[in-house]
Amino acid sequence: MTCYETVFIARPDLTETQVKDLTKKFTDILTKNGGKVLKTEYWGLRTLAYKINKSSKGHYALIESEADGKAIAELDRLLRLDEDVMRYMSVRLKAPSKEPSVILSNTGVKKPYIKREAA
Amino acid sequence: MSMSKPNFTRRQKSCPFSSEESCDIDWKDVDTLNGYISERGKIMPSRITVVSQKKQRVLALAIKRARQMALMPYVAQENTNRTRRG
């Protein structure tokens, strides 16, 4: 089973619980189609680098899963149809990630490229 | 101290991503990626950043993915006299 990560941006006028429900809906679709969800993350309401659909903020969420291509294709199809999702991207991973995303551990301080602390 | 000819060929020693303890190139790691774009947001060539060819292709792909997911801009505004509030 191959590992995929899907990140989507939800509309900013949703609340955090609504975004979490949306994430749960997509993880249910994955498990229904024979996939296994490894982790989900919520990155919060972030400012976008450019305006999407005339809004400059959006809720980011990440789903990391182990599934086959058909399940991910179904997930992508539903992400495209959903009105609350502004943008999405599914990327294939070589290996499951070991630690939470860098964005969650970011304290907002800009730093130059840094060597990995933990192996 | 003897005056020697200035050595222009010596810039950075090696690719920042190719040593054993260097971090992986992740498209979500905006802080690292911001070190490889210009002020306008354009990807810098590897002859300036001394990234190896293989890693430069991976880096460019990561930057393009980050741009698509609005973590990095396609065209960055030049630093004008904008005051940021709070």
Side-chain angles (χ1 to χ4, degrees), chain A residues 5 7-9 43 46-50 52 60 62 87-89 91 101-103 106 109-111 113-116, chain B residues 12 16-17 19 21-24 26-32 34 36 65-75:
Chain A
E5 71 177 358
V7 178
F8 64 89
I9 309 178
W43 295 349
R46 290 176 56 99
T47 309
L48 306 173
Y50 47 89
I52 299 179
Y60 279 82
L62 168 107
R87 202 164 278 198
Y88 66 93
M89 183 158 77
V91 170
S101 297
V102 186
I103 293 192
N106 188 14
V109 176
K110 267 205 191 268
K111 49 186 194 279
Y113 90 90
I114 218 165
K115 300 184 178 153
R116 196 202 283 278
Chain B
Q12 198 178 333
F17 294 111
S19 59
E21 66 266 6
S22 48
C23 54
D24 290 336
D26 186 14
W27 65 270
K28 305 184 290 291
D29 189 1
V30 182
D31 286 340
T32 314
N34 272 332
Y36 297 94
R65 278 181 184 162
R67 281 174 178 169
Q68 187 179 3
M69 288 310 283
L71 295 168
M72 291 172 74
Y74 283 96
V75 179

Side-chain angles (χ1 to χ4, degrees), chain A residues 17-76:
Chain A
T17 42
Q18 282 175 309
V19 178
K20 296 228 163 108
D21 292 339
L22 202 63
T23 314
K24 181 139 188 342
K25 184 176 93 167
F26 294 130
T27 51
D28 290 344
I29 289 163
L30 273 173
T31 45
K32 206 161 53 146
N33 284 339
K36 190 177 76 165
V37 177
L38 298 173
K39 77 175 181 196
T40 59
E41 283 176 9
Y42 174 66
W43 295 349
L45 183 70
R46 290 176 56 99
T47 309
L48 306 173
Y50 47 89
K51 284 193 180 177
I52 299 179
N53 284 351
K54 302 183 186 57
S55 46
S56 40
K57 284 188 190 268
H59 293 277
Y60 279 82
L62 168 107
I63 302 172
E64 188 173 322
S65 59
E66 204 170 309
D68 59 344
K70 294 202 182 83
I72 295 292
E74 175 68 19
L75 176 69
D76 280 353

